[in-house]
């Protein structure tokens, strides 16, 4: 059984289809498309991925470490899964001053940009009552930061900045 690599999923050509809802024929086609539950991945891939997710749910960190060893060839210990605050502070202090300044500047710009996009609550009075939409941030977000040859700091800043600006309280990074 060859291991399924995450990037193998990209070889599936998932077409983007554009529907113009103002056209009645296309609107019906869109509704049919949404209700069709067409499979995007082969049943074999769905079974393998479901098995991995189930094993990690059941086995926790131990299962995660085993899959990392099997798929990525990296041996880890449970203590290496979490970075302690003291380690983060030491890494920040060890970062050159000009790099820290660049990251702080980028972080501020990213927060400002995403906060400007936040949606406000909307209230509409209708003949039969009041309609209201209240945007509520997700409580916890997991952020993947690729780190093949080097961690992509810009990826972290962009996704973490968007989450923070939206009001996400608990941000978990994995790499």
């Amino acid at each position: 059984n060859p291991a399924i690599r995450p990037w193998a999923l990209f070889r599936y050509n998932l077409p983007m289809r554009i529907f113009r809802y103002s056209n009645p024929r296309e609107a019906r086609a869109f509704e049919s498309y949404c209700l069709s539950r067409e499979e995007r991945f082969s049943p074999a891939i769905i079974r393998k991925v479901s098995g991995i997710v189930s094993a990690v749910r059941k086995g926790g960190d131990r299962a995660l470490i085993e899959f990392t060893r099997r798929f990525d060839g990296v041996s880890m210990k449970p203590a290496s899964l979490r970075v302690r605050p003291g380690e983060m502070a030491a890494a920040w202090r060890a970062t050159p001053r000009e790099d820290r300044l660049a990251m702080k500047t980028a972080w501020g710009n990213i927060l400002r940009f995403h906060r400007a996009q936040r949606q406000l609550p909307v209230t509409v009075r209708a003949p039969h009552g009041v309609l209201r939409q209240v945007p509520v941030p997700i409580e916890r977000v997991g952020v993947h930061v690729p780190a093949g040859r080097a961690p992509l700091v810009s990826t972290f800043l962009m996704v973490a900045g968007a989450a923070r600006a939206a009001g996400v309280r608990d941000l978990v990074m994995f790499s």
Side-chain angles (χ1 to χ4, degrees), residues 33 57 60 68 70 96-97 110 116 129 135-136 139 148 160 164 172:
Y33 177 79
R57 279 188 179 138
T68 301
R70 188 185 319 169
R97 185 176 183 279
I110 291 163
V136 177
E139 280 187 40
R164 281 288 192 243
V172 178

Side-chain angles (χ1 to χ4, degrees), residues 3-161:
I4 295 178
R5 306 283 184 196
W7 54 85
L9 299 177
F10 290 110
R11 70 180 164 185
Y12 291 92
N13 185 14
L14 303 178
M16 183 173 104
R17 188 156 173 210
I18 298 173
F19 295 95
R20 287 170 188 79
Y21 212 73
S22 58
N23 177 320
R25 193 181 81 210
E26 288 191 32
R28 285 191 302 278
F30 175 70
E31 289 167 5
S32 174
Y33 177 79
C34 289
L35 297 173
S36 71
R37 296 201 178 260
E38 180 183 335
E39 274 193 33
R40 300 288 183 209
F41 301 105
S42 75
I45 289 177
I46 299 294
R47 273 193 306 279
K48 288 211 181 238
V49 171
S50 295
I52 292 168
V53 170
S54 177
V56 171
R57 279 188 179 138
K58 194 184 304 180
D61 289 350
R62 246 180 288 145
L64 186 64
I65 289 168
E66 172 54 27
F67 284 119
T68 301
R69 186 199 56 74
R70 188 185 319 169
F71 295 146
D72 300 323
V74 176
S75 294
M76 301 172 70
K77 295 189 188 297
S80 68
L81 293 179
R82 289 175 183 80
V83 179
R84 292 184 193 90
E87 292 172 304
M88 284 191 273
W92 180 252
R93 286 190 304 273
T95 302
R97 185 176 183 279
E98 57 274 5
D99 291 346
R100 290 194 315 254
L101 180 61
M103 286 187 271
K104 284 181 177 181
T105 301
W107 181 254
N109 290 337
I110 291 163
L111 287 177
R112 192 169 42 259
F113 176 78
H114 286 291
R115 284 180 178 146
Q117 296 180 60
R118 277 195 293 209
Q119 293 183 346
L120 299 174
V122 175
T123 303
V124 175
R125 297 197 186 286
H128 302 289
V130 176
L131 306 172
R132 187 163 172 88
Q133 176 186 13
V134 180
V136 177
I138 298 170
E139 280 187 40
R140 173 179 283 175
V141 171
V143 176
H144 177 243
V145 179
R149 296 192 194 288
L152 298 179
V153 176
S154 60
T155 299
F156 170 75
L157 291 171
M158 295 298 274
V159 295

